[in-house]
Amino acid sequence: MTQEIQNKLSAFITGEILKQPDRKLGPEEALISGGLIDSFSLVDLALFVEETFGVKVDDTELNAQTFDNLNQLAALIQSRQ
Amino acid sequence: MSESMRFLRNVLGKATLLFVAVNLLFATTDPLSFLGNLSLYNGPIPGRQRIPFGEEPDKAYNLSLNSLEAMFASHELTAGAKPVDEFRVILIGDSSVWGFLLENQDTLSAQLNSADLTTPAGHSVRFYNLGYPTISLTKDLLIIDEAMRYQPDLIIWLVTLESMPHNKQTFTPLVQHNPGRVRALIAEYGLSIDPANPDFKDLTFLQKTLWGQRRPLADLLRLQLYGFAWGATGIDQYIPAAYTERANDLPLVTEYYDLEPDFTADAIAFDVLDAGIARAGDVPLLLVNEPMFIADGANSDIRYNFFYPKWAYNRYLVLMAEQAAVNGWLYADVWQAVSNDEYTNSAIHLTPAGEVQLAAKLLELIHPLLNP
Amino acid sequence: MTLIQISTFVALSLLARVFGSRLPRRWTLLTISVLAVFWLQPASPIRNLDFWLPLLTISIAAAAWAVTLPAGTRPARRDGIAGFFVLGLALAVALTRYIPALCCLTPSRPPETLPLLLGMGIFFGVVWLVGRGFARQPWTLHARVLAVIFLFIILKSEPLAQLTAAGLRGLMGQDPTLAQPTDLRWLGFSYLAFRLLHTLRDRLSGRLPALYLDEFLTYAVFFPSLTAGPIDRVERFQKDLQTEFQLDAIRFLEAGERLAQGLFMKFVLGDALALFALNPANAAQVSTTGWAWLLLYAYALRLFFDFAGYTHMAIGLGLLFGIRLPENFNRPYLQPNLTAFWNGWHMTLTNWLRAYVFNPFTRALRARKWSIAPIILLGQLLTMLLVGLWHGITLNFAIWGLWHGLGLFTHNRWADFAKGRLNVSPQLAAISGALLTFHFVALGWVWFALPDPGLAGRVLRLLAGGAP
């Protein structure tokens, strides 16, 4: 289950945000603090999560303190499903 | 006791020990005069054209301090070795020489420099402003003493009676905070100043520690930091747009310090003048009685101006002339050389035009002295 | 904060350590924070204003708490105790007027009894009405948001502040023609406003945790972050507040390290650089390109050391009392691009604006299927304009904000374009990027430092090598 969520997230981030579909994202790789995802793309990511998993991610949660890698984001999604 | 508690105790213990050790070291080695010689001026920062002095540092980019070493190290006089083709003239005196309310380009030394003099031997004459606000011959003597290290070829010393009363000699902070140097001068030249005068600020052991000397140390640092602002702006004095003019109406006061009518030479500090001339040694020293404003308002029948009742100043003029003749001084009395409307906020501070007039007079006087 | 004030807070933390077992920490923190609001407030030439402004700070925070109570709940006994306790503290501060030995915690003598009781009655009544009478309708929350923004605009706009100061002077029987915008120096209001807006907004979106009055007040006016931030989030603050805490050697050392760092950065480096950092006076006096750059570099570094030093001290003081305030700086001048700079400069303010302005704005336009570039351009311009105006509602801060908004947009588009196309060594990219970013930021500071855009233009011409 977690793996499936992570795969979907990873595919969206590498394909739509980074535009590098061949790139592999580690589950602990720092997405926000590492500068991979900018503030604009974060909103896109939130919209994607809402459409795909039916989970609301608030505007105030789009920061590295709430989630900074695939593991944390997947856990957040699961906790709200 | 836990590991971290022990660590905390060690940190605090070592910090205290280090603090005490550094303070003791500072008090025993007294490194302040050495530190005063370290300077960014005449390097990354251009040297100052007059000795640092400033009552409003944040506006003037300048400050008053008591370290002669630091004051000289920040001055353009001390930039590198003296050029071989330079005929070096230093100007000594009070705030009128320093240039109170005047930009550097308008001071007496700047006006003299603009004459572009050359000696008969082809050396270019360069004037340096070593005036320093506060009126005291002993303060001037201190500056001459330090300036001799920089090989002047001629010294011009502007004085006035106000710098000569005995009890004014230890009045200025620069003298009070350099007791060691002043006492050495007292001993060498037999000055009548009491070496035990309570005005001298001798430091206790605690005051000599790093903690006790934090203020003078901070001053050294601030002098360097303000140097960047001076370098960037060329400003070393806050000149207000408006100032109170020198008084023309004078109080009805006839006393002048503790002087009696017909006072004699030993009633004022001629010994310090002698010492200054002796300190100059072979270097010619031109003594100048500086110009002053002459009031025509209330009580101007008994007083010349804010500083002087007529009787005292007249007597001083006589004594100066006598002493100069007896001792063979190079002496010029130019007290009326500047027209009366060229004074600013004090009876001795000149406008730029006033400095031009004074410079013209001095140039005549120094022409015969330009032979190295 | 001055050195004396900082030392006092450190001493208080040690006292709290000694008496900690008998005095619950939340009451200690509430007491110190409320008293500090009065103590840290700078003097104002308007009579008694340095008492009324702190009281207003506390009242506004209390009123914000009252409207954010969850629907259907009534204040608990603990809230009542906290309310009367704080009221008692304020009264005690006022009564020092009559005890010469203790007078005064405020910079000038507090008001006399009659105006005091009248004023406190009004403040208390308003808070009570807000909380009780017609509370917890969504429109009261919106009204509160607008009220805080309105106050903010008055304080940050010079003409309005001047007008208000004149009105207050008239009210106090003083000469209104002498009014200055600086009369209204309301300590910490910019930060307080953003903390309150955050709680009100989160209450509207249903994300605000339940908070007791004492927790809310301590969060809003927590003394280490009162004067210069950082802007914490209340749910994070509450977690720290509810965690058992005792000051031990490890925490003391960590706090001491942060305090030492902060003191050195602010009082040694920052204050030293301030002696020749760019300011309106020397900006008009400097006349060569090289020296103008030096003044600007000094300003850039001074601003960082001053502000980051302050943050270190705030965090250090917080740690002494068991509150880990959020970081506000992360080596901003060493970051390889402007986006990364803003992730490391005044982070709590930018995070705030991202959460409450940029993200909702972007989300709304995204839902309307706008294309990417215009959304980013508008979003960045709007956010950075607000960052600018937060410092003061003036032209120069607006220009500064737009400068950064355009910079962020440009970097975003460039990064998008350069993805996979550029082939330079990462080290070279990082170093040249950092240099470029620092100079872009430094040029922006010219607008920030100089209120007069004409003067800023003069300096920029000089910096570019032109004649002044």
Side-chain angles (χ1 to χ4, degrees), chain A residues 17-20 32 35-36 38-40 42-44 46-47 50-51 56-63 65 80, chain C residues 202 205 207 233 339 343 351 354-356 358-363 366-367 369 372 375-376 380 412 416 419-420:
Chain A
I17 296 178
L18 301 178
K19 308 270 196 314
Q20 297 168 310
I32 302 174
L36 280 183
D38 62 28
S39 46
F40 171 82
L42 265 179
V43 177
D44 264 9
L47 290 169
E50 279 161 31
E51 277 166 28
K56 169 104 173 123
V57 185
D58 192 80
D59 286 333
T60 59
E61 293 175 317
L62 302 179
N63 53 53
Q65 289 83 52
R80 294 189 184 169
Chain C
D202 279 14
S205 61
R207 305 185 39 80
R233 294 187 60 82
T339 307
N343 285 331
N351 284 342
R354 218 170 265 153
Y356 296 109
F358 182 87
N359 290 345
F361 181 84
T362 305
R363 198 187 278 257
R366 234 13 207 157
K369 306 287 173 210
I372 294 175
I375 300 182
I376 296 181
Q380 297 291 19
N412 180 284
D416 206 59
K419 237 171 237 174

Coordinates of all heavy atoms in Angstrom, one line a residue, chain A residues 17-20 32 35-36 38-40 42-44 46-47 50-51 56-63 65 80, chain C residues 202 205 207 233 339 343 351 354-356 358-363 366-367 369 372 375-376 380 412 416 419-420:
Chain A
I17 N 7.0 17.4 -12.3 CA 7.6 18.5 -11.7 C 9.1 18.7 -12.2 O 9.5 19.7 -12.6 CB 7.6 18.4 -10.2 CG1 6.1 18.5 -9.7 CG2 8.4 19.5 -9.5 CD1 5.9 18.3 -8.3
L18 N 9.8 17.6 -12.0 CA 11.2 17.6 -12.4 C 11.5 17.5 -13.9 O 12.5 17.8 -14.4 CB 12.0 16.6 -11.6 CG 12.0 16.6 -10.1 CD1 12.7 15.5 -9.5 CD2 12.5 18.0 -9.6
K19 N 10.5 17.0 -14.6 CA 10.6 16.7 -16.0 C 11.8 15.8 -16.3 O 12.5 16.0 -17.3 CB 10.7 18.0 -16.8 CG 9.7 19.1 -16.5 CD 8.5 19.0 -17.4 CE 7.5 20.1 -17.5 NZ 7.1 20.7 -16.3
Q20 N 12.0 14.9 -15.4 CA 13.1 13.9 -15.6 C 12.5 12.5 -15.3 O 12.8 12.0 -14.2 CB 14.3 14.2 -14.7 CG 15.0 15.5 -15.0 CD 15.9 15.9 -13.9 OE1 15.6 15.9 -12.7 NE2 17.1 16.3 -14.3
I32 N 11.9 19.2 -0.3 CA 11.7 20.6 -0.2 C 13.0 21.3 0.2 O 13.5 22.2 -0.4 CB 10.5 20.9 0.8 CG1 9.2 20.2 0.3 CG2 10.3 22.4 0.9 CD1 8.1 20.3 1.2
G35 N 15.6 21.5 -2.2 CA 15.5 22.4 -3.4 C 14.9 21.7 -4.6 O 14.9 22.2 -5.7
L36 N 14.5 20.4 -4.5 CA 13.9 19.7 -5.7 C 12.6 20.3 -6.1 O 12.3 20.5 -7.3 CB 13.8 18.2 -5.4 CG 15.1 17.4 -5.5 CD1 14.8 15.9 -5.2 CD2 15.7 17.6 -6.8
D38 N 9.9 23.4 -5.8 CA 9.8 24.8 -5.4 C 8.4 25.0 -4.9 O 7.5 24.2 -4.9 CB 10.2 25.8 -6.6 CG 9.2 25.6 -7.8 OD1 8.1 25.2 -7.6 OD2 9.7 25.8 -8.9
S39 N 8.1 26.3 -4.5 CA 6.9 26.5 -3.8 C 5.7 26.4 -4.7 O 4.6 25.9 -4.3 CB 6.9 27.9 -3.1 OG 7.4 28.8 -4.1
F40 N 5.9 26.7 -6.0 CA 4.8 26.6 -7.0 C 4.5 25.1 -7.2 O 3.3 24.7 -7.1 CB 5.2 27.3 -8.3 CG 4.2 27.0 -9.4 CD1 3.1 27.8 -9.4 CD2 4.4 26.0 -10.3 CE1 2.1 27.5 -10.4 CE2 3.5 25.7 -11.3 CZ 2.3 26.5 -11.3
L42 N 4.9 22.7 -5.3 CA 4.3 22.1 -4.1 C 2.8 22.2 -4.2 O 2.1 21.3 -3.8 CB 4.7 22.9 -2.8 CG 5.9 22.3 -2.1 CD1 6.3 23.3 -0.9 CD2 5.7 20.9 -1.6
V43 N 2.2 23.3 -4.6 CA 0.8 23.4 -4.8 C 0.3 22.4 -5.8 O -0.7 21.8 -5.5 CB 0.4 24.9 -5.2 CG1 -1.1 25.0 -5.4 CG2 0.9 25.9 -4.2
D44 N 1.0 22.2 -6.9 CA 0.6 21.2 -7.8 C 0.6 19.8 -7.2 O -0.3 19.0 -7.5 CB 1.6 21.2 -9.0 CG 1.1 22.1 -10.2 OD1 0.1 22.8 -9.9 OD2 1.7 22.1 -11.2
A46 N 0.1 19.2 -4.1 CA -1.0 19.1 -3.2 C -2.3 18.8 -4.0 O -3.1 17.9 -3.6 CB -1.2 20.4 -2.4
L47 N -2.4 19.4 -5.2 CA -3.6 19.2 -6.0 C -3.6 17.8 -6.5 O -4.7 17.1 -6.5 CB -3.6 20.2 -7.2 CG -3.9 21.6 -6.8 CD1 -3.6 22.6 -8.0 CD2 -5.3 21.8 -6.3
E50 N -4.7 15.4 -3.7 CA -6.1 15.5 -3.5 C -6.9 14.8 -4.5 O -7.9 14.1 -4.2 CB -6.5 17.0 -3.4 CG -6.2 17.6 -2.1 CD -6.2 19.1 -2.1 OE1 -6.9 19.8 -2.9 OE2 -5.4 19.7 -1.3
E51 N -6.5 14.9 -5.8 CA -7.2 14.3 -6.9 C -7.0 12.8 -6.8 O -7.9 12.0 -7.0 CB -6.7 14.8 -8.3 CG -7.4 16.1 -8.7 CD -6.6 16.7 -9.9 OE1 -6.0 15.9 -10.6 OE2 -6.6 17.9 -9.9
K56 N -7.0 15.7 1.7 CA -6.8 17.2 1.7 C -5.4 17.5 2.3 O -5.2 17.1 3.4 CB -7.9 17.9 2.4 CG -7.7 19.4 2.7 CD -8.5 20.3 1.8 CE -8.3 21.7 2.2 NZ -7.8 22.6 1.1
V57 N -4.6 18.2 1.6 CA -3.4 18.8 2.2 C -3.5 20.3 2.2 O -3.7 20.9 1.2 CB -2.1 18.4 1.3 CG1 -0.9 18.8 2.0 CG2 -2.1 16.9 1.1
D58 N -3.5 20.8 3.4 CA -3.8 22.2 3.6 C -2.6 23.1 3.1 O -1.5 22.7 3.1 CB -4.0 22.5 5.1 CG -4.6 23.9 5.3 OD1 -5.8 24.1 5.1 OD2 -3.8 24.8 5.6
D59 N -2.9 24.3 2.8 CA -1.9 25.3 2.3 C -0.8 25.5 3.4 O 0.3 25.8 3.0 CB -2.5 26.6 2.0 CG -3.3 26.6 0.7 OD1 -3.0 25.7 -0.2 OD2 -4.3 27.3 0.5
T60 N -1.2 25.4 4.6 CA -0.2 25.6 5.7 C 0.7 24.4 5.9 O 1.6 24.4 6.7 CB -0.9 25.9 7.0 OG1 -1.8 24.8 7.4 CG2 -1.8 27.2 6.9
E61 N 0.3 23.3 5.2 CA 1.2 22.1 5.4 C 2.2 21.9 4.3 O 3.0 20.9 4.3 CB 0.2 20.9 5.4 CG -0.6 20.8 6.7 CD -1.6 19.7 6.6 OE1 -2.2 19.4 5.5 OE2 -1.8 19.1 7.7
L62 N 2.2 22.8 3.4 CA 3.2 22.7 2.3 C 4.5 23.2 2.6 O 5.0 24.3 2.2 CB 2.6 23.4 1.0 CG 1.2 22.9 0.6 CD1 0.8 23.7 -0.6 CD2 1.3 21.4 0.2
N63 N 5.2 22.5 3.5 CA 6.5 22.9 4.0 C 7.3 21.8 4.5 O 6.7 20.7 4.7 CB 6.4 24.0 5.1 CG 5.5 23.5 6.2 OD1 5.7 22.5 6.8 ND2 4.5 24.3 6.5
Q65 N 8.6 21.1 7.2 CA 8.3 20.7 8.6 C 7.2 19.6 8.6 O 7.3 18.7 9.4 CB 7.9 21.8 9.5 CG 9.0 22.8 9.9 CD 9.2 23.8 8.8 OE1 8.3 24.5 8.4 NE2 10.4 24.0 8.3
R80 N -4.6 9.9 6.7 CA -5.9 10.7 6.4 C -6.9 9.9 5.6 O -8.0 10.4 5.3 CB -5.6 12.0 5.8 CG -4.8 12.9 6.7 CD -4.7 14.3 6.2 NE -3.8 15.0 7.2 CZ -3.3 16.2 7.0 NH1 -3.5 16.8 5.8 NH2 -2.5 16.8 7.8
Chain C
D202 N -6.5 29.8 10.7 CA -6.5 28.4 10.9 C -7.8 28.0 11.6 O -8.3 26.9 11.4 CB -5.3 27.9 11.8 CG -4.1 27.8 11.0 OD1 -4.1 28.2 9.8 OD2 -3.1 27.2 11.4
S205 N -10.3 27.7 8.8 CA -10.2 26.4 8.1 C -10.3 25.2 8.9 O -10.1 24.1 8.5 CB -8.8 26.4 7.3 OG -7.8 26.5 8.3
R207 N -8.5 24.2 11.4 CA -7.2 23.4 11.8 C -6.6 23.9 13.1 O -5.6 23.3 13.5 CB -6.2 23.7 10.7 CG -6.6 23.4 9.3 CD -5.5 23.5 8.3 NE -4.2 23.1 8.9 CZ -3.9 21.8 9.0 NH1 -4.7 20.9 8.5 NH2 -2.7 21.4 9.6
R233 N 4.4 28.8 15.0 CA 3.1 28.3 14.8 C 2.5 27.8 16.1 O 3.2 27.1 16.8 CB 3.0 27.2 13.7 CG 3.4 27.7 12.3 CD 3.2 26.7 11.2 NE 1.8 26.3 11.2 CZ 0.9 26.9 10.5 NH1 1.2 28.0 9.9 NH2 -0.4 26.5 10.5
T339 N 15.7 31.6 -5.0 CA 14.7 30.8 -4.3 C 15.3 30.2 -3.0 O 14.6 30.3 -2.0 CB 14.2 29.7 -5.2 OG1 13.8 30.3 -6.5 CG2 13.0 28.9 -4.6
N343 N 14.5 30.7 1.1 CA 14.3 29.6 2.0 C 15.2 29.7 3.2 O 15.1 28.9 4.1 CB 14.5 28.2 1.3 CG 13.3 27.9 0.3 OD1 12.2 28.3 0.6 ND2 13.6 27.2 -0.7
N351 N 7.6 31.7 5.2 CA 6.7 30.5 5.3 C 5.3 30.9 5.6 O 4.3 30.3 5.1 CB 7.2 29.6 6.4 CG 8.4 28.8 6.0 OD1 8.7 28.6 4.8 ND2 9.1 28.3 7.0
R354 N 3.8 32.2 2.4 CA 3.6 31.1 1.5 C 2.3 30.4 1.9 O 1.4 30.1 1.0 CB 4.7 30.2 1.6 CG 5.1 29.6 0.3 CD 6.5 28.9 0.4 NE 7.6 29.7 0.0 CZ 8.8 29.5 0.5 NH1 9.0 28.6 1.4 NH2 9.8 30.3 0.1
A355 N 2.1 30.1 3.2 CA 1.0 29.3 3.6 C -0.3 30.1 3.4 O -1.4 29.5 3.1 CB 1.1 28.9 5.1
Y356 N -0.3 31.4 3.7 CA -1.6 32.1 3.7 C -1.8 33.0 2.5 O -2.9 33.6 2.4 CB -1.7 32.9 5.0 CG -1.7 32.0 6.2 CD1 -0.6 32.0 7.1 CD2 -2.8 31.2 6.5 CE1 -0.6 31.1 8.2 CE2 -2.9 30.4 7.6 CZ -1.8 30.3 8.4 OH -1.8 29.5 9.5
F358 N 0.6 32.9 -0.9 CA 1.0 32.3 -2.2 C 0.3 31.0 -2.5 O -0.2 30.8 -3.6 CB 2.6 32.0 -2.1 CG 3.1 31.5 -3.3 CD1 3.5 32.3 -4.4 CD2 3.3 30.1 -3.5 CE1 4.1 31.8 -5.5 CE2 3.8 29.6 -4.7 CZ 4.2 30.5 -5.7
N359 N 0.2 30.1 -1.5 CA -0.4 28.8 -1.8 C -1.9 28.9 -2.2 O -2.3 28.3 -3.2 CB -0.2 27.8 -0.6 CG 1.3 27.4 -0.5 OD1 2.0 27.6 -1.4 ND2 1.6 26.8 0.6
P360 N -2.7 29.6 -1.4 CA -4.1 29.7 -1.7 C -4.3 30.4 -3.1 O -5.1 30.0 -3.9 CB -4.7 30.6 -0.6 CG -3.7 30.6 0.5 CD -2.4 30.2 -0.1
F361 N -3.5 31.4 -3.3 CA -3.5 32.2 -4.6 C -3.2 31.2 -5.8 O -4.0 31.1 -6.7 CB -2.5 33.3 -4.5 CG -2.5 34.2 -5.7 CD1 -3.4 35.2 -5.8 CD2 -1.5 34.0 -6.7 CE1 -3.3 36.1 -6.9 CE2 -1.5 34.8 -7.8 CZ -2.4 35.9 -7.9
T362 N -2.1 30.5 -5.6 CA -1.7 29.6 -6.7 C -2.7 28.5 -6.9 O -3.1 28.2 -8.0 CB -0.3 28.9 -6.3 OG1 0.6 30.0 -6.0 CG2 0.2 28.1 -7.4
R363 N -3.2 28.0 -5.8 CA -4.2 26.9 -5.9 C -5.5 27.4 -6.6 O -6.0 26.7 -7.5 CB -4.6 26.5 -4.5 CG -5.3 25.1 -4.3 CD -5.8 24.9 -2.9 NE -4.7 24.4 -2.0 CZ -4.6 23.2 -1.7 NH1 -5.5 22.3 -2.1 NH2 -3.7 22.8 -0.8
R366 N -4.7 27.8 -10.3 CA -4.4 26.5 -10.8 C -5.8 25.8 -11.1 O -5.9 25.1 -12.2 CB -3.7 25.6 -9.8 CG -2.4 25.0 -10.1 CD -1.7 25.3 -11.3 NE -0.9 24.2 -11.8 CZ -0.5 24.0 -13.0 NH1 -0.8 24.9 -13.9 NH2 0.2 23.0 -13.3
A367 N -6.7 25.9 -10.2 CA -8.0 25.3 -10.4 C -8.7 25.9 -11.6 O -9.6 25.3 -12.2 CB -8.8 25.5 -9.1
K369 N -7.3 26.6 -14.2 CA -6.5 26.1 -15.4 C -5.7 27.2 -16.1 O -5.6 27.3 -17.3 CB -7.5 25.5 -16.4 CG -8.3 24.3 -15.9 CD -7.5 23.1 -15.6 CE -8.4 22.0 -14.9 NZ -7.6 21.2 -14.0
I372 N 1.2 28.1 -16.5 CA 2.1 28.2 -15.3 C 2.7 29.5 -15.1 O 2.7 30.1 -14.1 CB 3.1 27.1 -15.4 CG1 2.5 25.7 -15.3 CG2 4.2 27.2 -14.4 CD1 3.4 24.5 -15.6
I375 N 0.9 32.5 -13.5 CA 0.5 32.2 -12.1 C 1.8 32.5 -11.2 O 1.7 33.1 -10.2 CB 0.1 30.7 -11.9 CG1 -1.1 30.4 -12.7 CG2 -0.2 30.5 -10.4 CD1 -1.7 29.0 -12.5
I376 N 2.9 31.9 -11.7 CA 4.1 32.1 -10.9 C 4.5 33.6 -10.8 O 4.8 34.1 -9.7 CB 5.3 31.3 -11.5 CG1 4.9 29.8 -11.4 CG2 6.6 31.6 -10.7 CD1 6.0 28.9 -11.9
Q380 N 4.4 35.3 -7.2 CA 5.7 35.8 -6.6 C 5.6 37.3 -6.4 O 6.0 37.8 -5.3 CB 6.9 35.5 -7.5 CG 7.1 34.0 -7.7 CD 7.6 33.3 -6.4 OE1 7.4 33.8 -5.3 NE2 8.2 32.1 -6.6
N412 N 12.9 31.1 -11.4 CA 12.1 29.9 -11.7 C 12.0 29.6 -13.1 O 12.2 28.4 -13.5 CB 10.7 30.3 -11.2 CG 9.7 29.1 -11.4 OD1 9.3 28.9 -12.5 ND2 9.4 28.4 -10.3
D416 N 13.8 26.3 -15.0 CA 12.9 25.4 -15.8 C 13.6 25.2 -17.2 O 13.6 24.1 -17.7 CB 11.5 26.0 -15.9 CG 10.5 25.0 -16.2 OD1 10.3 24.1 -15.4 OD2 9.8 25.1 -17.3
K419 N 17.0 23.2 -17.1 CA 16.9 21.8 -16.7 C 17.5 20.9 -17.8 O 16.9 20.9 -18.9 CB 15.5 21.4 -16.3 CG 15.3 20.9 -14.9 CD 13.9 20.8 -14.6 CE 13.5 21.6 -13.4 NZ 12.1 21.6 -13.1
G420 N 18.5 20.2 -17.5 CA 19.0 19.2 -18.4 C 19.7 19.8 -19.7 O 20.3 19.1 -20.5

